[in-house]
Amino acid sequence: MAQLAGGVVIVTTVGEDDRPRGMTATAVCSVSLDPPLVMACVSHVTATYRAVQASGIFALNVLPAGAAALARRFASDRRDKFVGLETRRGATGAPLLAGALAHADCTVDRSVPAGDHTIFIGRVLAVTGPDEEASLPLIYFRGRYGSLAPLAGESAEEPSP
C-alpha cells in the first residue's frame, strides 16, 4: 500500500477530560454526498481512538503542503501535540486546526471494527475551507511527505475526463 499516495489529515476530537486529542491519518475519504458522510481509519492503540469512541465526535483537518512537521507531530506519541497551536472548536466541540486547507466537523454515524483499527464513519455537520489562495495538499507516499505538481497542460478550471 506504500504505492498508494494519500492526502494527510489530522483527526481531532476531545477526551473525557475535555482535552484535545489528535492523530495523523491518510486512510480518510468521502463516503457519501447525501447524506454527507466521511470515514477515517483509527488505530486502536491511540488515545484518539478511545476519545472518538467516548465522545462520538471528530473533525478532519486537511493539511497543506508545508505542514509535514505538523503531520509528524501528530503521528508521534507525544502528549503535548496541541501546545502552541492555534485552534478553535467546531460545531461538535472537536478542535479545528488553524491553517488547515479544509475542515469537516462530524458526529460518528457508525463504527466498523477492522483488525487493529476502527473505521469511523462520520456525518458531516459543518465544513470550512479552502479560500481562493489555498495551497496544495500534503501527500504521503512511500513513507515520505510531499506535494502535488500539476501535469503539463492541466488547468484547475478544466475538469479531467
Side-chain angles (χ1 to χ4, degrees), residues 57-115:
I57 63 167
F58 66 92
L60 304 179
N61 298 264
V62 180
L63 295 186
L70 188 62
R72 283 188 205 86
R73 173 190 261 202
F74 278 85
S76 75
D77 289 335
R78 62 190 276 184
R79 302 190 67 133
D80 62 345
K81 293 177 184 178
F82 287 86
V83 171
L85 297 180
E86 182 182 340
T87 64
R88 65 180 173 80
R89 295 284 178 122
T92 65
L96 304 179
L97 298 171
L101 287 180
H103 304 101
D105 194 14
C106 309
T107 57
V108 174
D109 186 76
R110 69 186 64 113
S111 58
V112 180

Side-chain angles (χ1 to χ4, degrees), residues 26-157:
T26 56
V28 175
C29 71
S30 173
V31 174
S32 169
L33 293 176
D34 188 17
L37 300 172
V38 294
M39 59 150 263
C41 297
V42 179
S43 171
H44 294 163
V45 300
T46 66
T48 303
Y49 165 75
R50 293 183 297 280
V52 172
Q53 281 283 84
S55 68
I57 63 167
F58 66 92
L60 304 179
N61 298 264
V62 180
L63 295 186
L70 188 62
R72 283 188 205 86
R73 173 190 261 202
F74 278 85
S76 75
D77 289 335
R78 62 190 276 184
R79 302 190 67 133
D80 62 345
K81 293 177 184 178
F82 287 86
V83 171
L85 297 180
E86 182 182 340
T87 64
R88 65 180 173 80
R89 295 284 178 122
T92 65
L96 304 179
L97 298 171
L101 287 180
H103 304 101
D105 194 14
C106 309
T107 57
V108 174
D109 186 76
R110 69 186 64 113
S111 58
V112 180
D116 59 0
H117 283 61
T118 289
I119 302 165
F120 288 107
I121 299 173
R123 183 175 294 265
V124 180
L125 300 184
V127 295
T128 59
D131 63 24
E132 295 291 324
E133 301 296 317
S135 68
L136 295 171
L138 184 64
I139 300 295
Y140 191 72
F141 178 66
R142 293 185 181 166
R144 298 190 342 224
Y145 293 103
S147 178
L148 293 173
L151 297 174
E154 290 290 314
S155 165
E157 294 82 38

